[in-house]
Amino acid sequence: MTIRVWDYQQEYENERADLLDAVDSVFRSGQLVFGASMRGFEAEFAAYHGSRHCVSVDNGTNAVKLGLQALGVGPGDEVITVSNTAAPTVLAVDAVGATPVFVDVDPDTYLMDTGQVEAVITDRTRALLPVHLYGQCVDLAPLGQLAATHGLKLLEDCAQAHGARRNGRVAGSTGDAAAFSFYPTKVLGAYGDGGAVLTSDDEAAARLRRLRYYGMEERYYVVETPGHNSRLDEVQAEILRRKLRRLDTYVAARRAVAERYAEGLGDTGLVLPTTAAGNEHVHYVYVVRHPRRDAILEALKADDIVLNISYPWPVHTMTGFAHLGYAEGSLPVTERLAKEIFSLPMYPSLAPEVQDRVIAAVREALLKV
């Protein structure tokens, strides 16, 4: 049996009756878009985070893009973020006509090094875009202070941190707005694409609702301002609504998997994940480090274990962003991590015996390299 970094089949079997009922309830409702399921999910997701508004959209990339637009970010502006992230974070900045400006990451947590942010703020800076990476939160306190001092907006990228907390506050509840992805692999994942933006700013929420619906308010064909078609459909909304009730259970299961890895691999030369003080990690992915990463992955592949690297190419090194002018060595921590990190299998239904096979194979591979 091939072991992969993520699999949903067992979770589907466990939840099949509820998921099929969710689909059936939508199909029988007579409303496939902008119906009761979407409204219910938005209300419940907002309540989970203590936010006034949730505006659901079609995917996480558009959640970041529309979140930036709703906060007033556009052509000519700069947005400070990180290069150690999935490319969609940065593509969303580019899509609104703004310029991404990168800072390096902390060598232990791999999160934004907030101490570097102030030095790159200019008169064009409009927003800060921290990424709550791999399942734990960036410390937003210093970023909030910088935003207040310099008149900036703070948009949290929460695509990898559903349910994560810092000092008791859930990810997505601190900034001016927060963008979420519900791609199937996420801690709260749909059976297709989906996304959402949280905000407690009434005006930003109103702009978001217009932006996701062609720029219209309630009446079709009456465009208030140019927008997009970025709606979350009723089927995915109802599935997410059902799964939201199990989010804390998913998180607990992921933490149990992480604890088992720590017990099984803690005495090896592998660098295991570090949880920052004050953080409650949800382990979206279980990222480890080793200088002989590629040799380890080859050894594991020979044992029918196919793993992943999050992320092998920092965004600033990609040809599509060469115009930004970041030379090799400009973000040394990010660049070093890209050569050493890889992800072990992590999902709530990962069976202990399968995880034990992964642990044994990793230990054996470490002896060979």
Side-chain angles (χ1 to χ4, degrees):
M1 179 187 72
T2 299
I3 298 175
R4 302 189 185 280
V5 75
W6 177 77
D7 187 273
Y8 72 92
Q9 295 290 345
Q10 186 58 54
E11 181 178 293
Y12 174 68
E13 290 302 321
N14 296 343
E15 301 178 358
R16 183 173 182 272
D18 189 41
L19 294 170
L20 294 182
D21 180 69
V23 174
D24 187 62
S25 70
V26 170
F27 288 171
R28 291 178 181 275
S29 73
Q31 186 82 37
L32 298 179
V33 178
F34 275 5
S37 292
M38 186 201 75
R39 292 193 298 271
F41 172 69
E42 288 183 340
E44 291 158 18
F45 196 67
Y48 182 92
H49 294 84
S51 179
R52 286 175 57 84
H53 305 280
C54 169
V55 180
S56 60
V57 296
D58 54 345
N59 58 64
T61 308
N62 278 337
V64 179
K65 177 187 175 185
L66 300 188
L68 289 169
Q69 287 182 291
L71 295 177
V73 179
D77 294 332
E78 292 178 347
V79 177
I80 299 173
T81 189
V82 292
S83 180
N84 182 36
T85 184
T89 302
V90 184
L91 289 168
V93 176
D94 182 75
V96 302
T99 300
V101 176
F102 299 117
V103 294
D104 216 340
V105 296
D106 180 88
D108 296 319
T109 64
Y110 317 151
L111 300 170
M112 173 184 276
D113 184 344
T114 59
Q116 297 187 22
V117 172
E118 188 165 26
V120 297
I121 293 175
T122 72
D123 57 4
R124 294 176 56 197
T125 307
R126 186 60 181 262
L128 307 179
L129 180 55
V131 180
H132 298 315
L133 196 70
Y134 301 153
Q136 67 172 322
C137 299
V138 177
D139 183 2
L140 296 182
L143 297 182
Q145 293 172 359
L146 288 173
T149 299
H150 296 275
L152 309 176
K153 296 297 185 179
L154 179 57
L155 175 64
E156 301 175 58
D157 183 338
C158 301
Q160 302 186 15
H162 308 79
R165 285 173 168 78
R166 180 169 180 81
N167 297 327
R169 295 198 63 164
V170 66
S173 65
T174 302
D176 295 291
F180 289 81
S181 168
F182 304 121
Y183 186 74
T185 62
K186 304 302 184 185
V187 178
L188 178 62
Y191 277 71
D193 254 323
V197 185
L198 293 177
T199 184
S200 290
D201 183 322
D202 295 346
E203 292 185 7
R207 286 194 290 272
L208 282 163
R209 292 190 178 101
R210 289 194 296 269
L211 285 167
R212 72 162 175 197
Y213 187 52
Y214 308 111
M216 302 174 188
E217 291 284 356
E218 295 297 326
R219 292 188 298 163
Y220 193 52
Y221 294 130
V222 180
V223 174
E224 301 290 331
T225 182
H228 312 269
N229 176 12
S230 300
R231 299 166 294 195
L232 179 68
D233 71 74
E234 283 289 281
V235 170
Q236 297 304 335
E238 185 61 31
I239 289 173
L240 287 166
R241 192 178 184 188
R242 306 288 181 98
K243 294 187 72 176
L244 177 60
R245 300 163 192 166
R246 298 187 282 271
L247 176 55
D248 292 341
T249 301
Y250 298 149
V251 169
R254 287 173 176 273
R255 287 176 177 151
V257 172
E259 289 174 7
R260 194 177 186 92
Y261 277 135
E263 292 171 2
L265 298 170
D267 62 344
T268 68
L270 212 57
V271 179
L272 304 184
T274 297
T275 301
N279 273 356
E280 298 175 41
H281 209 309
V282 297
H283 298 285
Y284 164 59
V285 285
Y286 194 86
V287 174
V288 297
R289 283 177 62 192
H290 196 280
R292 299 293 306 281
R293 186 265 312 279
D294 292 346
I296 293 170
L297 290 180
E298 285 302 312
L300 293 173
K301 189 183 298 184
D303 203 18
D304 219 12
I305 299 173
V306 182
L307 301 185
N308 189 38
I309 302 171
S310 299
Y311 299 94
W313 300 285
V315 178
H316 73 283
T317 68
M318 297 179 182
T319 55
F321 291 100
H323 63 282
L324 297 177
Y326 285 86
E328 183 177 352
S330 58
L331 300 172
V333 178
T334 295
E335 292 169 29
R336 183 170 72 250
L337 292 177
K339 296 180 175 67
E340 298 182 355
I341 57 176
F342 63 103
S343 302
L344 300 183
M346 170 58 74
Y347 46 94
S349 59
L350 181 62
E353 60 271 20
V354 176
Q355 189 178 8
D356 286 345
R357 180 181 154 194
V358 172
I359 291 170
V362 170
R363 294 184 70 93
E364 184 177 352
L366 288 169
L367 292 175
K368 294 177 181 178
V369 301

